[in-house]
Amino acid sequence: MNIVIAAGVLFAVLVILARFISVKGLSVLTTEEKGRYLEVAASIQKTSLLVLALLILLFVFLGYQQFISPLWLTGLYLGSFLVYNMVSSFVIYRKMQAAGLPAVFSGKWFLSTALRMLGLLILMAGMLYAFSLGLW
């Protein structure tokens, strides 16, 4: 159980650090640029949420059908959720570049996103490790 707690603490620290970096990045934007950033993020929101809903439905279906063990199912879901986050972040990053947002902001946004992804990866690894040992 200590692994899960340590992973959770690292996740929280990295998310808080990512938030500070994100706020610093937003502070360099003008009001017009903030509006463009919000437009970029909102432009993929519907598609992103639809893909996430389909991903969840797929794994709920696989869980009910019991094609694979719960441990493998959990690992596959956590991995696919991480890939989903990476792809949606990459699409937002490309659209931010196309919208002409400053490179300083894009860099801070990318660093912030990378820290959150790292925290998520650490948390998922800790949870999967605990599941594999039957600690949860």
Side-chain angles (χ1 to χ4, degrees), residues 65-85:
Q65 296 302 316
Q66 298 179 350
F67 291 131
I68 53 179
S69 73
L71 180 62
W72 275 98
L73 186 67
T74 302
L76 286 173
Y77 175 73
L78 295 176
S80 61
F81 184 69
L82 188 64
V83 169
Y84 157 80
N85 278 321

Side-chain angles (χ1 to χ4, degrees), residues 11 13-26 37 89 93 96 104-120:
F11 171 72
V13 167
L14 287 172
V15 167
I16 290 169
L17 181 62
R19 183 65 184 151
F20 282 127
I21 292 170
S22 179
V23 167
K24 289 256 188 202
L26 285 171
Y37 169 66
S89 296
Y93 184 74
M96 283 188 329
V104 172
F105 170 73
S106 296
K108 289 189 185 295
W109 182 89
F110 182 78
L111 179 60
S112 172
T113 301
L115 286 173
R116 281 184 293 141
M117 293 294 165
L118 179 62
L120 189 59

